[in-house]
Amino acid sequence: MTLPTQTLARLLLAPLLVLAAGMLVKGYTDVGDGFAAGLLAAVGFVLQDVAFGQRRAESLLPVRWAYRLALGGLGLALAVAVAPMLAGEPVLKHRPEPGVSPVKVGTLELITPVLFDVGVCLLVLGTVVTGLHLFAHPGEEEEQRS
Amino acid sequence: MILLLAATVGTLFGSGAYLMLKPDLLRIVAGLVLVSNAAILALLAAALDRGRAPILPLGDGAVSDPVVQALALTGIVIGLAVAALLFVLAYQVYATSETIDLDELSQLETRREQELEQEEVSV
Amino acid sequence: MSPVLPLMIAWVAAVVLALLDSRRRWVAWLVVAALALVFASSLALLLDVLAHGPRTTVAGGWPMGIGIVFSADALGATFAAVSVGVVLAAVLFEALHGTRSRTFGALALFLTTGLCGLFLTGDVFNFYVFFELAMIAAYSLTTYGQEARQLRAGLVFAVVNLLGSFIFLIGVAGLYRVTGTLTMELVAERVATVDSAATVPIAISLLVAFLVKLGLFPFHFWLPTVYASARPAVAAILGGALANIGAYGLLRFGADILPETLRLGAPVLLVLGIASLLYGSLQAVARRSAPGVLAYSSIGQVGYVIVALAIGGPVGYAAAILYAVVNSLNKALLFLASELRGWLVGLAFAVGALSVAGVPPAAGFLAKLEVLRAGVEQGAVVLGLLVLGSALSFVYMFQIYQHDFWREERSVPAGGRAIGAVTASVAVVVLALGLWPEPLLAVSRRAAAMLAGGAG
């Protein structure tokens, strides 16, 4: 790819990640949620793949870990869902409970659903990056397996 | 409004179904994606006429039902996953059979069955 | 006991195992252990539900009507326990055989998650989500083996069933439109007051979706290729566990949520059921290979479930549930045994064959008897056709038994003794249910009484 594309892809990565984080945080009072945030962040990484090509993108970014990242995100979301069950409460019950005012950082309320959304965000990010990476170079999968 | 949405859902579903009748795997997948969007639009249409979209800040007047929006979002996510899976499957079929034409694929299938039958006879 | 327990165990295990390689011995056994735990918890849930009545919980502790409802009743818990049991047997079989794919274990567990979720949910849309989760895992499992024909079968399977899923989703949209709620209990209450002009199209879209899943004639065209080309363990999961979705869905959405519409459509179902029964049986008689016969036999066997459902009432519903449960055990047993040889497997296969044919003392006898009992009210023609179907099933089962197990040159022993033992233990379950049918009868009658008694 040409130099301008590469520079642009590089320059766009950080803003996209910030935008994604913003989406995630804003999601509780405005438009946005973990899924959208994950997609935005994935766009940032996929751009690098497109601009630099497979090999260099792999050396620049830990693409190989995306699959584990996705499962980690799913695990985090599930943990938030399951944890209340261990305490004998219904599944997905969130803390602090409705009515109790939570600690606030700016507009973000620190409640357990935020963790759930972070999990969703990681899951989407990992899945999209892994998926598109494998689509671009299907042979890789076989190499990784063997 | 309802009529318009119904017509759109119908057109989407119809175009999807038409594409799915083509003997080309990619068109079939594209057809399914259209059908999935028809289903998502049907979900949205189930409550869209009850007011404006429920996006903050809420203005005056009726706000439409947020439940269907959540359902549509889930539907979109599932649609994405399904489309990705289908593309992978279509690619794998191409990688093993070197064609994405259904007629050629079924010819391969018949040839294989004939071979099997011959084996059966020789046994 | 919380109704989400089996679901959550399966889900967490699936995520953990997705990180590991199923081809390693210890991972394969970990999958088996996780599934055994899910099976134990779903059995415990079933016993709990039978002793103390339905269990309901709302996600997040929200009030009813706002949060997503999970609910386990006799019907859902029975189907969950049977399906998880079948998956467990298939995975055990594959673990002994040597798993060949990295993702097999995780996919089987995701499929179990989906099945548990949809059997134990009380929410219409949540049903769709878990249904899709189970189906996506199933599409990937069909390609297990990575041979060209398995990939082609997987693609056909995925395309046809996805079309069914989206038609189901449109039906869900319609249900929400006319009732304004997604909780099954409330939907059932409110839909009773809705004009039948609105409920009939919704019911048709749901019916089409479930008939595609079940592979009932004339929605069966995808089924033979898929069942015949999948590996035995996968075919057992598809035929023994996944097909339960169709039967359960028809019972839940038909008998529980839309009973009036089901009554309207009963003649159609009766005709479709009998057509499927005869078509499947005749095609099966004409086949020579075991997987082919079993695939067409599946099309025929689900016909009995549909006929019993169409007859309706406590007797009909009980027969449908009983037949669905016994049929899923039969299919699991026969698919697992179909590619093995040896006297133990031969015996196990014979039990399965007798069960499909409806010969005592196998459980199939009991199931057929219940369907015939329900069919008596329908007059001589229906009864005669049901008996004809039974006779045909005896013919084709005997044919493959003779063809595969009596011919000397083919009796090469494949697989170790342990695999034979897995198959034999499923056969023992089928026999035991035939010899001591009271618990299964009681469970199905209980669930049927609940369905016939209206909502809940």
Side-chain angles (χ1 to χ4, degrees):
Chain A
M1 280 288 172
T2 53
L3 193 63
T5 338
Q6 290 186 353
T7 324
L8 204 65
R10 262 247 160 110
L11 284 176
L12 274 175
L13 178 60
L16 273 170
L17 289 183
V18 172
L19 202 62
M23 271 280 181
L24 192 59
V25 171
K26 245 167 32 116
Y28 294 86
T29 51
D30 209 332
V31 185
D33 64 349
F35 180 72
L39 274 186
L40 269 177
V43 167
F45 286 111
V46 171
L47 259 183
Q48 315 301 311
D49 227 40
V50 172
F52 292 97
Q54 177 85 355
R55 300 270 163 234
R56 275 196 66 198
E58 255 172 26
S59 60
L60 287 172
L61 299 162
V63 183
R64 272 194 296 145
W65 290 89
Y67 175 69
R68 290 179 187 104
L69 185 75
L71 283 175
L74 182 56
L76 178 63
L78 260 183
V80 174
V82 174
M85 282 181 74
L86 300 179
E89 286 180 343
V91 70
L92 277 165
K93 176 93 185 165
H94 63 75
R95 290 297 178 98
E97 283 167 41
V100 180
S101 85
V103 182
K104 279 192 168 191
V105 180
T107 59
L108 180 69
E109 298 175 340
L110 291 184
I111 43 178
T112 48
V114 176
L115 274 181
F116 184 86
D117 245 4
V118 170
V120 172
C121 173
L122 295 181
L123 171 63
V124 173
L125 171 63
T127 311
V128 173
V129 170
T130 317
L132 287 178
H133 197 75
L134 288 182
F135 264 132
H137 299 267
E140 293 291 301
E141 195 189 8
E142 308 301 319
E143 282 170 35
Q144 271 180 17
R145 273 189 191 167
S146 54
Chain B
M1 186 70 176
I2 279 288
L3 190 66
L4 184 69
L5 281 168
T8 319
V9 171
T11 316
L12 273 176
F13 196 98
S15 328
Y18 174 74
L19 279 178
M20 285 176 71
L21 294 174
K22 296 272 168 185
D24 176 350
L25 283 186
L26 280 183
R27 273 168 216 237
I28 292 177
V29 176
L32 253 183
V33 172
L34 279 186
V35 170
S36 86
N37 282 295
I40 291 163
L41 194 61
L43 271 180
L44 273 180
L48 206 62
D49 63 323
R50 290 177 193 167
R52 288 174 354 99
I55 294 176
L56 282 168
L58 294 173
D60 300 329
V63 175
S64 94
D65 188 347
V67 173
V68 285
Q69 323 258 338
L71 302 190
L73 200 64
T74 318
I76 291 170
V77 176
I78 293 177
L80 172 84
V82 158
L85 180 79
L86 281 174
F87 278 120
V88 170
L89 272 180
Y91 178 81
Q92 295 265 29
V93 168
Y94 174 72
T96 50
S97 306
E98 307 214 319
T99 174
I100 52 164
D101 191 279
L102 273 189
D103 296 334
E104 285 176 36
L105 282 174
S106 57
Q107 274 170 13
L108 282 175
E109 192 86 2
T110 359
R111 210 173 303 150
R112 202 192 65 87
E113 265 169 27
Q114 278 166 355
E115 279 168 16
L116 271 185
E117 263 169 37
Q118 258 158 19
E119 270 171 40
E120 188 98 333
V121 171
S122 62
V123 167
Chain C
M1 186 177 163
S2 171
V4 286
L5 195 63
L7 166 66
M8 283 301 161
I9 297 175
W11 211 337
V12 171
V15 173
V16 172
L17 284 158
L19 286 168
L20 304 170
D21 187 341
S22 291
R23 286 171 300 188
R24 292 198 186 140
R25 279 243 116 154
W26 64 274
V27 178
W29 286 108
L30 206 60
V31 175
V32 172
L35 268 168
L37 197 61
V38 179
F39 183 55
S41 67
S42 58
L43 269 187
L45 181 64
L46 177 61
L47 292 177
D48 186 51
V49 166
L50 288 177
H52 305 287
R55 294 280 170 172
T56 304
T57 184
V58 184
W62 295 102
M64 191 86 159
I66 295 180
I68 297 169
V69 181
F70 286 92
S71 126
D73 54 19
L75 179 66
T78 308
F79 272 94
V82 170
S83 308
V84 175
V86 167
V87 179
L88 174 63
V91 168
L92 187 59
F93 177 90
E94 201 58 26
L96 288 166
H97 221 278
T99 313
R100 293 194 196 169
S101 138
R102 195 163 62 101
T103 47
F104 179 80
L107 283 175
L109 274 163
F110 273 117
L111 187 126
T112 313
T113 309
L115 287 174
C116 286
L118 75 93
F119 292 138
L120 300 175
T121 187
D123 184 281
V124 179
F125 190 76
N126 212 20
F127 181 93
Y128 166 74
V129 173
F130 281 114
F131 163 92
E132 208 64 290
L133 176 59
M135 292 313 288
I136 289 176
Y139 306 142
S140 316
L141 272 181
T142 321
T143 65
Y144 173 55
Q146 293 282 321
E147 281 174 37
R149 63 181 180 133
Q150 283 157 348
L151 287 169
R152 287 196 290 264
L155 195 78
V156 172
F157 180 42
V159 168
V160 174
N161 279 282
L162 279 171
L163 190 60
S165 302
F166 291 128
I167 292 175
F168 176 76
L169 190 56
I170 291 176
V172 170
L175 264 188
Y176 184 73
R177 170 76 199 175
V178 296
T179 61
T181 177
L182 291 167
T183 312
M184 285 180 182
E185 230 180 300
L186 295 174
V187 170
E189 257 171 48
R190 293 185 196 172
V191 91
T193 59
V194 174
D195 185 19
S196 64
T199 55
V200 167
I202 295 171
I204 290 176
S205 63
L206 299 179
L207 178 73
V208 168
F210 291 129
L211 291 188
V212 168
K213 290 301 110 123
L214 261 181
L216 193 85
F217 177 82
F219 302 98
H220 66 282
F221 46 88
W222 59 271
L223 194 142
T225 341
V226 175
Y227 280 25
S229 58
R231 292 180 48 77
V234 175
I237 291 178
L238 295 181
L242 206 70
N244 280 343
I245 298 179
Y248 173 81
L250 283 174
L251 281 164
R252 175 65 74 198
F253 281 85
D256 195 9
I257 296 181
L258 298 159
E260 291 300 318
T261 329
L262 180 68
R263 215 160 297 150
L264 276 177
V268 180
L269 280 179
L270 195 65
V271 171
L272 280 179
I274 288 179
S276 182
L277 179 64
L278 295 179
Y279 171 84
S281 305
L282 287 172
Q283 284 277 6
V285 169
R287 305 283 136 172
R288 280 293 169 269
S289 71
V293 173
L294 290 178
Y296 278 101
S297 146
S298 304
I299 298 173
Q301 295 293 305
V302 292
Y304 282 103
V305 180
I306 302 303
V307 168
L309 183 72
I311 292 166
V315 182
Y317 293 154
I321 296 166
L322 190 67
Y323 207 96
V325 167
V326 170
N327 182 36
S328 92
L329 291 174
N330 287 347
K331 283 285 124 52
L333 170 58
L334 290 173
F335 276 117
L336 288 183
S338 65
E339 284 198 4
L340 300 175
R341 295 292 171 266
W343 66 270
L344 190 61
V345 177
L347 213 58
F349 192 88
V351 169
L354 290 178
S355 187
V356 168
V359 176
F365 167 67
L366 184 73
K368 278 227 164 92
L369 192 67
E370 283 292 300
V371 175
L372 290 178
R373 245 165 49 103
V376 167
E377 297 167 23
Q378 298 294 309
V381 179
V382 172
L383 205 59
L385 289 171
L386 288 177
V387 173
L388 177 63
S390 290
L392 285 173
S393 58
F394 186 77
V395 172
Y396 64 69
M397 287 322 296
F398 187 71
Q399 267 185 349
I400 47 169
Y401 184 67
Q402 193 186 28
H403 187 260
D404 275 16
F405 286 92
W406 285 10
R407 282 184 10 183
E408 286 291 317
E409 68 266 34
R410 291 199 112 202
S411 60
V412 202
R417 202 166 283 168
I419 297 183
V422 173
T423 326
S425 60
V426 183
V428 168
V429 172
V430 171
L431 260 185
L433 287 177
L435 289 172
W436 188 45
E438 281 80 9
L440 190 59
L441 272 175
V443 168
S444 60
R445 290 207 177 123
R446 177 91 175 266
M450 179 206 75
L451 288 177

